[in-house]
Amino acid sequence: MKIVYFTHSLLSCWNHGNAHFLRGVLRELAALGHDVVALEQEGNWSLSNLLADHGEGGLTAFRAAYPDLRAHSYRPGADVDMLLDGADLVIVHEWNEPALVARIGRVRARNGTFTLLFHDTHHRAVSDPDAIRAFDLDGFDGILAFGEALSEVYRQWGWGERVWTWHEAADIRHFHPPARESERNGLVWIGNWGDGERTTELEEYLFRPACAAGLPLDIHGVRYPGEALGILGRYGARYHGWAPNAAAPDIFARHAATVHVPRRYYTRLLPGIPTIRVFEALACGIPLLSAPWSDAEGLFRPGEDFLFAKDGAEMTRRLRAVASDPGLRAALARSGLETVRERHSCAHRARELLAVVDPLQPSIRPQLAGSIA
């Protein structure tokens, strides 16, 4: 089967978390014998920022980790029929231009020779619903949503059974514990500052507890304004700027623990969606502590795979316990790794995708077309 995925970018993970999962799942689909290709628009925002900050060298880690992945760029206004030529399955990520999404849908409606799915891995359906409603999804066979709460939004918009929950996952071919353990020190947090979606939470659950526990804290990410850097400075955190996602396993391997601080939308409006950093950290065998979120879908075993902290004071106590107890660190690392390998690898998600696509035969496609209400 030829699988074509329209992404914002496969090459760049600069403020572009979907690239993490996409790289892993496309590699797994290729390993199953499928012909896979990612298409990204020339001059896209993520790649442009990466190249502006780091030049071509910013792509070195990706190219070394994923030498077999194919990413083709196209110009705005490119012939969509040519881009879709020979495709059996087409997946379009929500971080694409609405005009492109509409053009792809019209091609699908006109010739009906491929299955067409819309992939949503963001909170805009609840934080900015008009932005998602701007997509013309006539001609699409269905929706892939990265959490059940998000799937329910699309069901309420009229998609019914044509929505499938497809969580992110870890690429365990790349994200795994180090082959040989070396000394680990302090905490690490890999994440972007964002747009004020968790500023208060980062201070309560990460910066202040790390400082109070006397643990050094290393920060990697982008889009940290002067105000953010000032906060890091007050708590003695060390800011290292952007790190390629392909380098994350080596970064995790140098630290004793990491912390998950979800964005506000994933704690209040879209419960049950941990986002990909949780999967990747657990796959690397690093102990994980987390600010509160609801594991509404039972993806993990809280208390075994990772530790929740109900407030900043408890996070401080948790951090001290993890720092002082090698047995606790080992147990958390072992349990989290086990859960990811058994349930949450990109290989699992590749098989889940194929199970979704298999029943969508050409004979039933005309009655599957729909749109966002």
Side-chain angles (χ1 to χ4, degrees), residues 236-315:
R238 299 175 295 206
Y239 177 59
H240 301 278
W242 176 77
N245 192 52
D250 290 336
I251 294 172
F252 284 140
R254 299 194 295 267
H255 293 84
T258 189
V259 175
H260 174 52
V261 183
R263 296 176 189 266
R264 215 161 294 149
Y265 292 111
Y266 298 123
T267 60
R268 299 180 183 179
L269 298 176
L270 290 175
I273 300 176
T275 70
I276 198 164
R277 292 290 186 190
V278 172
F279 298 111
E280 291 176 342
L282 296 181
C284 288
I286 184 171
L288 174 71
L289 299 91
S290 179
W293 61 279
S294 173
D295 186 15
E297 298 181 54
L299 299 175
F300 303 105
R301 298 170 294 185
E304 298 179 47
D305 297 339
F306 62 86
L307 300 178
F308 272 128
K310 66 178 183 294
D311 54 32
E314 184 171 45
M315 180 64 79

Side-chain angles (χ1 to χ4, degrees), residues 55-324:
E56 284 290 327
L59 298 173
T60 301
F62 160 70
R63 287 171 172 157
Y66 298 92
D68 299 328
L69 287 185
R70 289 189 295 156
H72 296 311
S73 60
Y74 60 89
R75 294 180 178 178
D79 186 335
V80 172
D81 287 275
M82 291 186 62
L83 297 177
L84 297 171
D85 185 47
D88 300 295
L89 169 63
V90 178
I91 304 175
V92 183
H93 189 250
E94 47 85 20
W95 201 358
N96 277 287
E97 293 295 329
L100 173 68
V101 175
R103 286 160 59 203
I104 295 170
R106 287 195 293 270
V107 173
R108 159 64 180 78
R110 186 173 69 244
N111 63 36
T113 59
F114 57 86
T115 298
L116 179 58
L117 299 172
F118 185 72
H119 189 196
D120 194 339
T121 63
H122 201 260
H123 55 61
R124 287 194 297 168
V126 294
S127 63
D128 187 11
D130 288 342
I132 298 298
R133 290 179 181 273
F135 289 111
D136 177 1
L137 299 184
D138 285 344
F140 278 68
D141 294 291
I143 309 294
L144 298 169
F146 80 145
E148 182 61 24
L150 184 58
S151 290
E152 186 58 30
V153 172
Y154 280 96
R155 293 188 190 108
Q156 293 173 4
W157 286 350
W159 284 87
E161 296 182 356
R162 292 172 289 145
V163 182
W164 295 273
T165 297
W166 197 40
H167 280 283
E168 295 179 313
D171 175 11
I172 62 173
R173 294 176 187 264
H174 186 76
F175 288 82
H176 52 75
R180 179 177 298 175
E181 282 287 343
S182 58
E183 185 178 0
R184 292 172 178 257
N185 291 295
L187 303 177
V188 63
W189 191 74
I190 306 176
N192 304 321
W193 187 258
D195 302 300
E197 297 172 4
R198 55 181 169 189
T199 303
T200 300
E201 291 86 348
L202 283 169
E203 191 163 11
E204 179 177 358
Y205 290 99
L206 181 60
F207 307 144
R208 188 180 297 119
C211 184
L215 297 175
L217 172 61
D218 292 300
I219 304 289
H220 298 263
V222 300
R223 300 180 69 200
Y224 281 68
E227 175 192 3
L229 297 178
I231 294 173
L232 297 186
R234 288 203 304 273
Y235 289 104
R238 299 175 295 206
Y239 177 59
H240 301 278
W242 176 77
N245 192 52
D250 290 336
I251 294 172
F252 284 140
R254 299 194 295 267
H255 293 84
T258 189
V259 175
H260 174 52
V261 183
R263 296 176 189 266
R264 215 161 294 149
Y265 292 111
Y266 298 123
T267 60
R268 299 180 183 179
L269 298 176
L270 290 175
I273 300 176
T275 70
I276 198 164
R277 292 290 186 190
V278 172
F279 298 111
E280 291 176 342
L282 296 181
C284 288
I286 184 171
L288 174 71
L289 299 91
S290 179
W293 61 279
S294 173
D295 186 15
E297 298 181 54
L299 299 175
F300 303 105
R301 298 170 294 185
E304 298 179 47
D305 297 339
F306 62 86
L307 300 178
F308 272 128
K310 66 178 183 294
D311 54 32
E314 184 171 45
M315 180 64 79
T316 301
R317 292 193 295 272
R318 297 284 201 195
L319 289 174
R320 286 172 174 156
V322 167
S324 64

